[in-house]
Amino acid sequence: MSPNHSGYTSRDGFQWTKETGLRDGVPSLGVIRPSSNLTSTTRHDLFDVVVIGGGYAGLTAIRDLTLAGHKVLLIEARDRIGGRSWSANIQGYPYEMGGTWIHWNQPFIWRELFRYGLSSKIDISPVKEGGLSKCLVNMEGTRTVKMSHDKEDDISESAIKKFVNVDGRLARTVIPFPHDPHYNREAVAHYDKMSLADRFVEVADEMTPLERSMFEAFLSITCGSRTWEEASFFEFLRWWALMNYNYTDFIALGLTYKFKCGQSGFARHFFDEALETGNLTYVFDSPVSNVVDREGTVKVTTTARGNCGVSATFQGYRVICTVPLNVLYKVDFSPPLPQPKMEASKLGHVNQVTKVHAEVANPELRSVGAFSWPTGKLTYGFGDGTTPAGNTHMVAFGGAHPGVHLQPEENMDETLAAWRDLLAGHKVDIRRVVFHNWHKDEFALGAWEWLRPNMSTKYLDPLRARHGNVLFGSADWAMGWRGFIDGAIEDGGRVAKEASTEIRMARRGNATTSDGKFVVSERSRI
Amino acid sequence: MSPNHSGYTSRDGFQWTKETGLRDGVPSLGVIRPSSNLTSTTRHDLFDVVVIGGGYAGLTAIRDLTLAGHKVLLIEARDRIGGRSWSANIQGYPYEMGGTWIHWNQPFIWRELFRYGLSSKIDISPVKEGGLSKCLVNMEGTRTVKMSHDKEDDISESAIKKFVNVDGRLARTVIPFPHDPHYNREAVAHYDKMSLADRFVEVADEMTPLERSMFEAFLSITCGSRTWEEASFFEFLRWWALMNYNYTDFIALGLTYKFKCGQSGFARHFFDEALETGNLTYVFDSPVSNVVDREGTVKVTTTARGNCGVSATFQGYRVICTVPLNVLYKVDFSPPLPQPKMEASKLGHVNQVTKVHAEVANPELRSVGAFSWPTGKLTYGFGDGTTPAGNTHMVAFGGAHPGVHLQPEENMDETLAAWRDLLAGHKVDIRRVVFHNWHKDEFALGAWEWLRPNMSTKYLDPLRARHGNVLFGSADWAMGWRGFIDGAIEDGGRVAKEASTEIRMARRGNATTSDGKFVVSERSRI
């Protein structure tokens, strides 16, 4: 595939232009053709590992396992890799449909990016120079404040510090080790009990109306919850600690740097490297309906989706399940999943944020940021790039609070109006709109993970635990950048190493793993 | 080996106690016994890859290559792994003889640390609470200033910002991407031309005497150069960018977190994992004298060191050479190394810093930091831990400027006096001293890399380049954390991937690598 190839068209995502109106599906480098490399022989193979899900956790697992010489089957429900992080690649230009931003302080993603020679292939999203160079704040839907980006930073920094500073040390004592988030168990339990609403009560008298309004707008699309009550305050402290406990890095790490090739261009490196080993079998368009772990092997049954999928039962010595938290309970496991795993999945995380891209024929908007709270259906947005046509690419997020939760494909007039509202009357010429509705996505049922109060404390360990020969890897229960791409790579690598070690040791007749925790079934034929 | 095992005794390093006096060698988890697993058969094998050097670059390479199924020979000149990063493990307690500190913002090391389950096995070096909690500054050898750690931080932050702020943006415009250090080529060339002395001229009028004194002390042991003239200013900007462009993170990333098991405990994970694959042959105590690349295979000849080493010629399809910059020119290559590589190696980097540990029966010193400049032979030190005996472990560094360059083993009275001088008359009861003299170490000839003016600009690319079937991997020419453990893992991984890909492709009859740059010799028997 040439560098300018935009890939095949995925069923996922939506695109609107004035000329075509709204259409299902967008081109992406993440679409794999042919959709399977199964043969009549491999269909009945006993694989070393069956990996369910081709997001970054699954991609890391298949890459690590195939490089180590294991025979691997990847099963994916969609027609593309990447899970909740993928790009529409339109005319060679990426629109990030989900997970987007990366940084050299994110260890797992940076190691991979470097390994694939991409460390200088990076673009910058928001810029402060050129064009209007303003921040527009639409307050209460009634009046717009225009300010410089420096003032925007001052207000935002002041607000965020007030929100996190629970210990006079900007939360450093609560989470001294961001990659060991529960290190200070007592403090964590306290702040995990608290909702965002509880924290707002504590700082209500300290914030100015402008600080409060801008911070609420930002926070609403950070957690994507329907109410402040349903989202844990600890999750915000955890983000803050990961972002180096300062506002400058919160912006630098959270929403600044991205791939020139788009996330799907990056994800292809993992898939292609695994495929190149000759050890990867894969099947797309084939959601998993059930997983049966019996007598040392695991059987995984799929149901075809569309014409390309496969309805079949596959088997492996180990299964790595990367199905996201909010849909895990829908897969039928035998023996059934332990109660805490099921409970956590059914409760689910709360993030139902909306993300919408617009290509606008307004070069002056490249350096604009905008807030609209609490009435804006797009709550926070900014210039994200310049398209090959020379137009400005803007990205905006919408919160899920009642009355504002935008479903962009349901009414394009409303979606276009939300853009105009966010840009506070600035005359905008919208040429294209691109998005993925994660709220309605049956394989995700939400965006990046943001847990409810008490869930981190109660469910992190059970979610990371294996279940017999089934291992669970996902950004949703990573230790470090939980809820981020980095966390997916971390956790996919963790379970791949565990499975690989077991299989290697079993083949040597060694009945226990290195940590002595797991005994390979005597009936295993590994 | 049990967790409390302190390992076998290495020939490297020195230890002094009142009772024993000065002795050569210290126990370390990094010493490998038996010193070779060669057999009469494997001695004549044609290996896939011969890796020269068992520091982190070499360890990463052998681990990655053996996991991918390649047959690998590791040749190491010393009796231990770790290269310039290793710990004396004394009574179960680590004294770091070289590279020490780690952080979750160092991507390559953090990925490995997590992979080996060590993310919660971390200790903290300097602490501010408990005991004296003071910073002692010995100025001009004539008077001592005592100050709080808060004041120390204020002065140090003010000084370092004045030193780096060449663009009003704290050098962000010079190095916007710390892992792509030459991104802004024009600015980099300008600041790489400058020496530290040149920069001091520019800021001379801006620093107070106290700022200048404390910063010079700190800088002298950061670069380890004999003069300010011989060290590049760009190298300091590069460190600053890697440390997130702020003083708080400079301390957090540069000298705060370390392994409970010591670097040698960490390094063992790499070695043990490689060994466990069954694909690793190794030989210690066997310095390489020459490397001959001819007709598609490379022959590597060693000279035995002591009784355990091996004098022999080994061969592989590829060689990964991790010999450090300052000694690379001593290995005889045929065909000879290209001129720029030889030139860079002969020029060498300038870091000849001294590092000395002391175990002191003074609990109050745990929270003390100290500077002594310009007369102190130990220039900067601080409490580094608490030993099993309940004593304070302190670490100090000495600069290499004329008149202060301490060779600790030459005169122990002088070394003990240097400690007393650094602690500015505080009554100290020294029970043990531990160190490695990197300046005289024939396999390193220096500590971590700090280049001369113009060397980064001129030699980074040539140093990274391959030479026929020989690939070069080292922290000394890494892209990101160059001169750090993280850089060693980065660069060892890079060349391992390159070698692995070529061998795999050659075995499939594919004559070029994925980037089309290298044609496998037709005479290769891979």
Side-chain angles (χ1 to χ4, degrees):
Chain A
M1 208 174 278
S2 82
N4 292 323
H5 196 305
S6 286
Y8 301 99
T9 296
S10 172
R11 271 196 301 270
D12 280 359
F14 294 90
Q15 185 178 183
W16 173 93
T17 64
K18 250 182 211 169
E19 297 72 34
T20 63
L22 182 70
R23 287 193 177 173
D24 274 19
V26 292
S28 171
L29 293 170
V31 178
I32 305 296
R33 295 280 168 82
S35 67
S36 170
N37 66 350
L38 269 180
T39 64
S40 50
T41 320
T42 55
R43 181 177 288 255
H44 303 291
D45 275 358
L46 177 51
F47 292 94
D48 291 332
V49 184
V50 176
V51 175
I52 304 173
Y56 279 110
L59 289 171
T60 304
I62 64 164
R63 197 273 318 265
D64 286 0
L65 289 164
T66 55
L67 277 181
H70 300 292
K71 297 290 175 189
V72 176
L73 172 69
L74 171 67
I75 302 175
E76 169 57 55
R78 311 178 188 273
D79 57 6
R80 60 171 183 81
I81 54 175
R84 282 172 281 174
S85 299
W86 70 293
S87 49
N89 300 85
I90 297 173
Q91 294 162 4
Y93 183 87
Y95 296 85
E96 296 292 0
M97 310 298 267
T100 303
W101 292 289
I102 56 170
H103 191 278
W104 45 93
N105 285 352
Q106 293 171 329
F108 295 90
I109 202 167
W110 197 261
R111 186 255 182 185
E112 298 304 333
L113 172 165
F114 181 86
R115 201 170 167 278
Y116 291 125
L118 300 171
S119 40
S120 61
K121 312 285 185 187
I122 291 173
D123 260 344
I124 292 179
S125 282
V127 296
K128 292 184 175 178
E129 284 85 32
L132 272 186
S133 187
K134 283 277 179 248
C135 173
L136 317 174
V137 184
N138 184 344
M139 283 180 76
E140 311 294 336
T142 54
R143 63 197 172 91
T144 299
V145 180
K146 285 192 195 184
M147 63 179 76
S148 71
H149 285 304
D150 285 345
K151 187 162 181 206
E152 173 196 359
D153 284 341
D154 289 345
I155 294 171
S156 301
E157 180 172 9
S158 173
I160 202 169
K161 280 180 163 176
K162 289 172 184 173
F163 201 70
V164 299
N165 200 9
V166 293
D167 57 357
R169 296 281 317 281
L170 294 169
R172 283 171 193 271
T173 68
V174 180
I175 310 178
F177 298 97
H179 289 249
D180 188 10
H182 293 181
Y183 176 87
N184 189 346
R185 296 209 166 257
E186 207 171 315
V188 168
H190 176 75
Y191 294 110
D192 194 30
K193 227 177 265 169
M194 286 173 65
S195 68
L196 295 173
D198 294 332
R199 181 59 184 166
F200 272 124
V201 169
E202 293 181 347
V203 297
D205 295 340
E206 295 173 37
M207 286 189 177
T208 68
L210 205 52
E211 282 176 356
R212 177 81 185 237
S213 193
M214 287 169 68
F215 183 67
E216 285 201 49
F218 183 73
L219 187 62
S220 76
I221 63 90
T222 301
C223 69
S225 63
R226 285 164 306 176
T227 66
W228 300 130
E229 282 76 13
E230 70 174 12
S232 167
F233 173 50
F234 169 67
E235 291 284 67
F236 193 79
L237 293 180
R238 198 173 57 83
W239 275 45
W240 174 253
L242 287 163
M243 310 286 185
N244 298 335
Y245 314 92
N246 74 76
Y247 170 77
T248 305
D249 283 358
F250 203 104
I251 300 303
L253 273 76
L255 48 82
T256 299
Y257 304 99
K258 57 179 187 171
F259 286 112
K260 285 188 177 174
C261 59
Q263 285 292 347
S264 293
F266 180 49
R268 278 304 288 262
H269 286 276
F270 293 69
F271 184 83
D272 292 349
E273 188 178 10
L275 195 59
E276 196 264 329
T277 63
N279 293 326
L280 178 66
T281 305
Y282 66 85
V283 45
F284 284 80
D285 294 303
S286 304
V288 167
S289 51
N290 68 69
V291 177
V292 178
D293 180 4
R294 210 164 62 184
E295 300 184 358
T297 64
V298 193
K299 291 190 167 55
V300 180
T301 303
T302 60
T303 313
R305 179 188 183 222
N307 297 328
C308 299
V310 175
S311 293
T313 297
F314 303 98
Q315 50 182 342
Y317 294 116
R318 293 290 182 276
V319 162
I320 287 177
C321 175
T322 72
V323 174
L325 178 67
N326 280 9
V327 290
L328 180 61
Y329 74 90
K330 293 182 166 190
V331 178
D332 185 30
F333 282 85
S334 170
L337 288 181
Q339 190 53 28
K341 247 193 232 288
M342 277 301 277
E343 225 171 75
S345 175
K346 283 182 176 168
L347 275 168
H349 73 75
V350 297
N351 189 342
Q352 300 297 336
V353 77
T354 302
K355 183 181 189 183
V356 185
H357 296 277
E359 181 178 8
V360 300
N362 301 71
E364 75 280 9
L365 290 177
R366 178 68 184 90
S367 55
V368 161
F371 295 79
S372 181
W373 180 261
T375 58
K377 295 193 174 189
L378 290 173
T379 315
Y380 175 58
F382 48 83
D384 196 8
T386 300
T387 69
N391 293 324
T392 292
H393 161 207
M394 301 202 77
V395 65
F397 294 88
H401 281 58
V404 303
H405 199 187
L406 182 67
Q407 308 301 316
E409 75 279 17
E410 288 183 357
N411 181 341
M412 277 307 298
D413 289 339
E414 186 186 43
T415 302
L416 296 170
W419 268 108
R420 293 199 183 93
D421 168 67
L422 177 65
L423 294 169
H426 189 87
K427 201 171 159 50
V428 59
D429 178 5
I430 303 176
R431 297 293 174 89
R432 185 192 311 272
V433 177
V434 185
F435 57 92
H436 181 127
N437 188 328
W438 295 103
H439 178 61
K440 293 196 207 162
D441 182 305
E442 63 175 317
F443 303 118
L445 291 182
W448 61 86
E449 181 220 44
W450 193 286
L451 294 178
R452 299 169 190 275
N454 289 317
M455 281 185 79
S456 289
T457 313
K458 191 167 176 190
Y459 296 115
L460 183 60
D461 290 341
L463 283 169
R464 294 171 62 78
R466 65 190 296 157
H467 181 47
N469 293 307
V470 184
L471 287 77
F472 297 84
S474 168
D476 292 355
W477 44 83
M479 287 300 286
W481 288 87
R482 175 148 59 82
F484 290 78
I485 297 166
D486 194 75
I489 299 174
E490 173 210 305
D491 212 48
R494 170 182 68 98
V495 291
K497 179 163 185 275
E498 195 169 333
S500 178
T501 303
E502 285 179 19
I503 291 167
R504 208 167 54 236
M505 294 199 131
R507 293 223 161 105
R508 294 197 181 167
N510 199 333
T512 55
T513 62
S514 53
D515 60 358
K517 273 187 191 150
F518 184 74
V519 179
V520 174
S521 160
E522 282 178 48
R523 307 189 62 152
S524 162
R525 291 161 295 166
I526 292 180
Chain B
M1 207 175 279
S2 83
N4 292 324
H5 196 306
S6 287
Y8 302 99
T9 297
S10 173
R11 269 196 303 270
D12 280 358
F14 294 90
Q15 185 177 182
W16 172 93
T17 65
K18 251 182 213 172
E19 298 72 35
T20 63
L22 183 69
R23 288 192 176 174
D24 275 20
V26 292
S28 171
L29 293 170
V31 178
I32 305 296
R33 296 280 168 83
S35 69
S36 170
N37 67 350
L38 270 180
T39 65
S40 51
T41 320
T42 55
R43 183 178 287 256
H44 304 290
D45 276 358
L46 177 52
F47 292 94
D48 290 332
V49 183
V50 176
V51 175
I52 304 173
Y56 280 110
L59 289 171
T60 304
I62 65 166
R63 196 273 318 266
D64 287 0
L65 289 164
T66 55
L67 277 181
H70 299 293
K71 297 290 176 190
V72 176
L73 172 69
L74 171 67
I75 302 174
E76 169 57 55
R78 310 178 188 273
D79 58 6
R80 58 170 185 81
I81 54 174
R84 281 171 282 174
S85 298
W86 71 293
S87 48
N89 299 87
I90 297 173
Q91 294 162 5
Y93 183 87
Y95 296 84
E96 296 292 1
M97 309 299 268
T100 304
W101 293 288
I102 56 169
H103 191 278
W104 45 95
N105 285 354
Q106 293 170 329
F108 295 91
I109 202 167
W110 197 259
R111 187 255 183 186
E112 299 304 334
L113 173 164
F114 181 87
R115 200 169 169 279
Y116 291 126
L118 299 172
S119 40
S120 62
K121 312 284 186 187
I122 291 173
D123 259 345
I124 292 179
S125 282
V127 297
K128 292 184 176 177
E129 283 86 32
L132 273 186
S133 188
K134 283 277 179 251
C135 173
L136 316 175
V137 183
N138 184 343
M139 281 179 78
E140 312 294 337
T142 54
R143 62 197 171 92
T144 299
V145 180
K146 285 192 194 183
M147 63 179 75
S148 70
H149 285 304
D150 284 347
K151 186 161 182 210
E152 174 196 358
D153 285 341
D154 287 347
I155 294 171
S156 302
E157 179 172 8
S158 173
I160 202 170
K161 279 180 163 175
K162 288 171 184 172
F163 201 70
V164 300
N165 200 9
V166 293
D167 57 357
R169 296 283 315 281
L170 294 168
R172 283 171 194 271
T173 67
V174 179
I175 310 178
F177 297 98
H179 290 249
D180 188 10
H182 294 180
Y183 177 85
N184 189 347
R185 296 209 165 257
E186 207 172 315
V188 167
H190 176 74
Y191 295 110
D192 193 29
K193 227 178 267 168
M194 285 174 66
S195 70
L196 295 173
D198 295 333
R199 182 57 184 166
F200 272 124
V201 170
E202 292 182 347
V203 296
D205 295 340
E206 295 174 37
M207 286 190 179
T208 68
L210 206 52
E211 281 176 358
R212 178 81 183 237
S213 193
M214 289 169 67
F215 182 67
E216 286 199 50
F218 183 74
L219 187 62
S220 75
I221 64 90
T222 301
C223 68
S225 62
R226 286 165 304 176
T227 65
W228 299 131
E229 282 76 14
E230 69 174 13
S232 167
F233 173 50
F234 169 66
E235 291 284 64
F236 193 79
L237 293 180
R238 197 174 59 81
W239 275 45
W240 173 254
L242 287 164
M243 309 286 186
N244 297 334
Y245 314 92
N246 74 76
Y247 170 77
T248 305
D249 283 359
F250 202 104
I251 301 303
L253 273 76
L255 48 82
T256 300
Y257 304 100
K258 57 179 186 170
F259 285 113
K260 287 188 175 174
C261 58
Q263 285 292 346
S264 292
F266 180 50
R268 279 304 288 263
H269 287 275
F270 292 70
F271 184 82
D272 293 348
E273 188 177 10
L275 195 59
E276 196 264 330
T277 63
N279 293 325
L280 179 67
T281 305
Y282 66 85
V283 44
F284 284 80
D285 294 303
S286 306
V288 167
S289 52
N290 68 69
V291 177
V292 178
D293 180 4
R294 208 164 63 185
E295 299 186 358
T297 65
V298 192
K299 290 189 168 55
V300 179
T301 302
T302 61
T303 313
R305 180 189 183 221
N307 298 327
C308 299
V310 176
S311 292
T313 297
F314 303 99
Q315 50 182 341
Y317 294 116
R318 293 290 181 276
V319 162
I320 288 178
C321 175
T322 73
V323 173
L325 177 67
N326 281 9
V327 290
L328 180 61
Y329 74 91
K330 295 182 165 192
V331 179
D332 184 30
F333 283 85
S334 170
L337 287 182
Q339 189 54 27
K341 246 193 233 288
M342 276 302 277
E343 224 172 76
S345 175
K346 284 183 174 167
L347 275 170
H349 73 75
V350 296
N351 189 342
Q352 300 297 337
V353 79
T354 302
K355 183 180 189 184
V356 185
H357 297 277
E359 181 178 8
V360 299
N362 301 71
E364 76 279 8
L365 291 178
R366 177 69 183 89
S367 55
V368 161
F371 296 78
S372 181
W373 180 259
T375 59
K377 294 194 173 186
L378 291 173
T379 316
Y380 175 58
F382 49 83
D384 195 9
T386 300
T387 69
N391 293 323
T392 292
H393 161 209
M394 301 203 75
V395 65
F397 295 87
H401 281 58
V404 303
H405 199 187
L406 182 67
Q407 307 302 315
E409 75 280 15
E410 289 183 356
N411 181 343
M412 277 307 298
D413 289 340
E414 187 187 43
T415 303
L416 296 169
W419 268 108
R420 293 201 183 92
D421 168 68
L422 179 64
L423 295 169
H426 189 88
K427 200 169 158 54
V428 60
D429 177 5
I430 302 177
R431 299 293 176 88
R432 186 194 309 273
V433 177
V434 186
F435 58 91
H436 181 127
N437 188 329
W438 295 104
H439 177 62
K440 294 196 208 161
D441 182 306
E442 63 176 315
F443 304 118
L445 291 183
W448 61 87
E449 180 221 46
W450 194 285
L451 294 178
R452 299 168 191 274
N454 288 318
M455 282 186 79
S456 289
T457 313
K458 190 166 176 190
Y459 296 114
L460 184 60
D461 290 342
L463 282 170
R464 295 171 62 78
R466 65 189 297 156
H467 180 49
N469 292 308
V470 184
L471 287 75
F472 297 84
S474 169
D476 293 354
W477 44 83
M479 287 300 287
W481 289 87
R482 176 149 58 82
F484 291 77
I485 298 166
D486 194 75
I489 300 174
E490 174 210 305
D491 212 48
R494 169 182 70 96
V495 289
K497 180 164 184 273
E498 195 170 332
S500 178
T501 304
E502 284 178 20
I503 291 168
R504 208 167 55 236
M505 293 200 132
R507 293 223 161 105
R508 293 199 182 165
N510 199 332
T512 55
T513 62
S514 52
D515 61 0
K517 274 188 192 150
F518 185 73
V519 179
V520 174
S521 158
E522 281 178 49
R523 307 188 64 151
S524 162
R525 291 161 295 166
I526 292 181

